[in-house]
């Protein structure tokens, strides 16, 4: 997946990783009333990197978590979804509005390959802002801009 190659989403290892993430999500999403520092510690348990001061307001949803990298001061508002079949890197001080959905999964364009059940991932770079209820789907070799 991380190399952008095709994979089978029902693979045993992938299914086990997703089950572990679901269990973590139950804990994280129940933590809304906890102090930000305690939620930050929970994020660090599952995400690939959590920068200083990064905040995700629950509820939050993802496929794996460990493919998500948050820079310093990143803020994701309520009800964000990140389908992280590949690394999703969100740069320092990025602010993402509520109900934003980041889809890093991709599907073959030709019908025969698509019917085989194979999927691939795409890469998402850093972004400066995203409005509420945005649903960007990122295609291979595409990277969003970075605010200066």
């Amino acid at each position: 997946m991380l190399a952008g190659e095709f994979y089978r989403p029902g693979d045993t290892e992938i299914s086990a990783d997703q089950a572990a993430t679901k269990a973590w999500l139950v804990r994280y999403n129940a933590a809304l009333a906890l102090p930000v520092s305690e939620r930050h510690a929970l994020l660090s348990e599952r995400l690939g990197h959590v920068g200083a001061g990064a905040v995700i307001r629950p509820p939050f949803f993802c496929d794996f978590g460990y493919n998500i990298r948050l820079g310093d001061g990143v803020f994701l508002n309520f009800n964000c979804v990140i389908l992280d079949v590949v690394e999703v890197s969100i740069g320092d001080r990025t602010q993402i509005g509520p109900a934003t959905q980041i889809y890093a999964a991709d599907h073959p364009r030709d019908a025969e390959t698509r019917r085989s059940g194979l999927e691939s991932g795409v890469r998402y770079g850093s972004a400066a802002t995203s409005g509420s209820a945005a649903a960007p789907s990122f295609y291979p070799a595409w990277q969003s801009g970075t605010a200066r």
Side-chain angles (χ1 to χ4, degrees):
M1 289 184 321
L2 290 176
E5 300 294 325
F6 287 119
Y7 62 92
R8 294 201 182 278
D11 175 79
T12 304
E13 184 178 349
I14 291 171
S15 295
D17 284 351
Q18 287 180 325
T21 300
K22 287 175 187 175
W24 175 82
L25 285 168
V26 168
R27 291 178 41 231
Y28 186 75
N29 287 331
L32 179 60
L34 293 180
V36 171
S37 61
E38 290 183 41
R39 290 199 320 263
H40 191 275
L42 281 170
L43 288 171
S44 296
E45 287 179 15
R46 193 71 192 165
L47 302 190
H49 175 78
V50 182
V55 173
I56 298 179
R57 287 186 171 170
F60 167 70
F61 304 95
C62 62
D63 280 329
F64 300 99
Y66 54 72
N67 291 327
I68 299 170
R69 304 185 59 76
L70 304 177
D72 295 342
V74 167
F75 177 78
L76 277 71
N77 214 326
F78 299 108
N79 210 32
C80 285
V81 175
I82 301 176
L83 303 184
D84 61 312
V85 297
V86 295
E87 183 177 292
V88 174
S89 180
I90 300 174
D92 294 347
R93 298 173 309 282
T94 295
Q95 306 230 344
I96 296 180
T100 295
Q101 301 174 26
I102 298 171
Y103 305 142
D106 196 16
H107 305 275
R109 301 298 182 266
D110 70 281
E112 185 175 332
T113 305
R114 190 171 48 251
R115 278 192 298 270
S116 75
L118 294 173
E119 295 182 0
S120 65
V122 295
R123 296 200 175 274
Y124 169 70
S126 61
T129 60
S130 176
S132 63
S137 294
F138 300 103
Y139 294 96
W142 190 90
Q143 181 172 321
S144 68
T146 300
R148 303 270 181 237

